Amino acid sequence: MAIHGTALVHPSAFVEEGATIGPDCFIGPFALIGAEVTLAKGVTVKSHAVVTGWTEIGEDTTIFPFACVGEVPQDLKFNGERTRLIVGARCKIREGATLNTGTAGGGGITRIGDDCLLMTGSHIGHDAQLGNRIVLANQVAIAGHCQIGDDVIIGGLSGIHQWVRIGRGAIIGAVTMVTNDVLPYGLVQGPRGVLDGLNLVGLKRRGVERSDISAMRVAYQALAQGEGSFLDRARHLAEDTDSDYVREMTDFILSATDRSFLTPK
């Protein structure tokens, strides 16, 4: 194993041969670090946490007690192939969270971006791709192959169906099951995930210009009530808009997907 001299490893922790522990890391009591794990500078693994598999953890990320990071996928097709988990910098992986490696059939990598907060009991399934600054509240379950954009917030006890895409800046209410793609900046709530407007609070907090917010509200109404199919409305908006935010919405809608969209009310 390679343990940098400034790392602190509790005597009761178990670090397998082959692991790489960067400078200023801290490994707490009874933690387990697997042989193919790489911890970047300043990573903290608290007591009784497990980091295993072919897993890379970015700088200054903290893994809290009883989290299980890098175990094999919950997929009956998995046959022991060597797949990866990559976690970005400054993430907080709270108690009891579970993050799985990828599968050969899904690209082989599960990836979490920077500055994410994964609260107690949250789950990231195999081959999921998460962006930056994502917040998963307690007991959120992200199924395999999902794509979650930057700045998404998902409320507690919610579930995201496999292959679903959630666009940047969307917000999902608590106790919600999402089975279809969610357009960027969408607001989804209700037990079966109804698209119920835009995440206006989030847009204002991020300092989005009033003119862009107004353009997005007009675009949302056009998607909800315009002529033709939902995709036809998106195509017309893409041709007419001058707003980068509206363009982001239409590009997302018109890109390839394995799931249909939640459409505006």
Side-chain angles (χ1 to χ4, degrees):
M1 75 189 74
I3 300 180
H4 194 278
T6 60
L8 296 176
V9 180
H10 192 276
S12 67
F14 188 80
V15 180
E16 295 182 354
E17 288 292 335
T20 299
I21 311 300
D24 303 324
C25 288
F26 173 75
I27 312 298
F30 304 105
L32 169 65
I33 308 298
E36 293 188 291
V37 169
T38 298
L39 304 183
K41 179 181 178 181
V43 170
T44 295
V45 181
K46 296 194 175 187
S47 65
H48 297 86
V50 173
V51 187
T52 187
W54 184 13
T55 297
E56 299 175 22
I57 307 295
E59 289 190 4
D60 297 318
T61 284
T62 301
I63 301 172
F64 285 74
F66 301 103
C68 185
V69 177
E71 262 296 357
V72 298
Q74 298 178 122
D75 185 338
L76 293 175
K77 300 185 296 298
F78 182 73
N79 195 31
E81 57 266 27
R82 188 167 179 262
T83 57
R84 301 174 68 187
L85 168 68
I86 299 175
V87 177
R90 300 174 301 280
C91 292
K92 305 295 184 187
I93 301 172
R94 296 300 308 232
E95 297 84 350
T98 56
L99 288 69
N100 294 159
T101 57
T103 63
I109 299 176
T110 305
R111 191 185 306 271
I112 290 91
D114 299 334
D115 301 297
C116 294
L117 171 58
L118 314 180
M119 294 189 193
T120 301
S122 55
H123 171 70
I124 310 296
H126 60 84
D127 306 295
Q129 306 294 309
L130 276 66
N132 304 316
R133 300 176 300 279
I134 290 169
V135 176
L136 306 184
N138 297 335
Q139 309 298 329
V140 166
I142 307 294
H145 312 284
C146 289
Q147 298 178 37
I148 314 294
D150 295 346
D151 302 304
V152 167
I153 298 174
I154 302 180
L157 297 169
S158 293
I160 312 300
H161 193 282
Q162 63 184 4
W163 298 105
V164 160
R165 300 181 306 152
I166 299 179
R168 181 165 73 116
I171 185 167
I172 312 299
V175 198
T176 296
M177 182 65 205
V178 180
T179 58
N180 300 94
D181 289 354
V182 178
L183 56 79
Y185 313 105
L187 165 64
V188 175
Q189 55 189 346
R192 296 303 297 182
V194 176
L195 184 62
D196 198 23
L198 296 172
N199 182 15
L200 297 175
V201 172
L203 289 166
K204 293 173 182 175
R205 285 177 176 171
R206 284 192 288 275
V208 176
E209 295 291 337
R210 184 183 298 272
S211 59
D212 283 310
I213 294 176
S214 296
M216 294 170 68
R217 296 180 76 169
V218 170
Y220 184 89
Q221 290 302 315
L223 288 169
Q225 300 174 357
E227 296 182 357
S229 69
F230 183 65
L231 290 178
D232 289 337
R233 299 170 203 165
R235 292 189 188 99
H236 292 150
L237 276 173
E239 294 168 358
D240 296 339
T241 188
D242 294 322
S243 167
D244 290 340
Y245 286 88
V246 175
R247 175 73 65 179
E248 182 178 354
M249 293 168 65
T250 59
D251 286 349
F252 185 90
I253 293 168
L254 296 173
S255 60
T257 180
D258 291 302
R259 308 292 301 178
S260 60
F261 282 89
L262 290 177
T263 53
K265 293 176 66 177

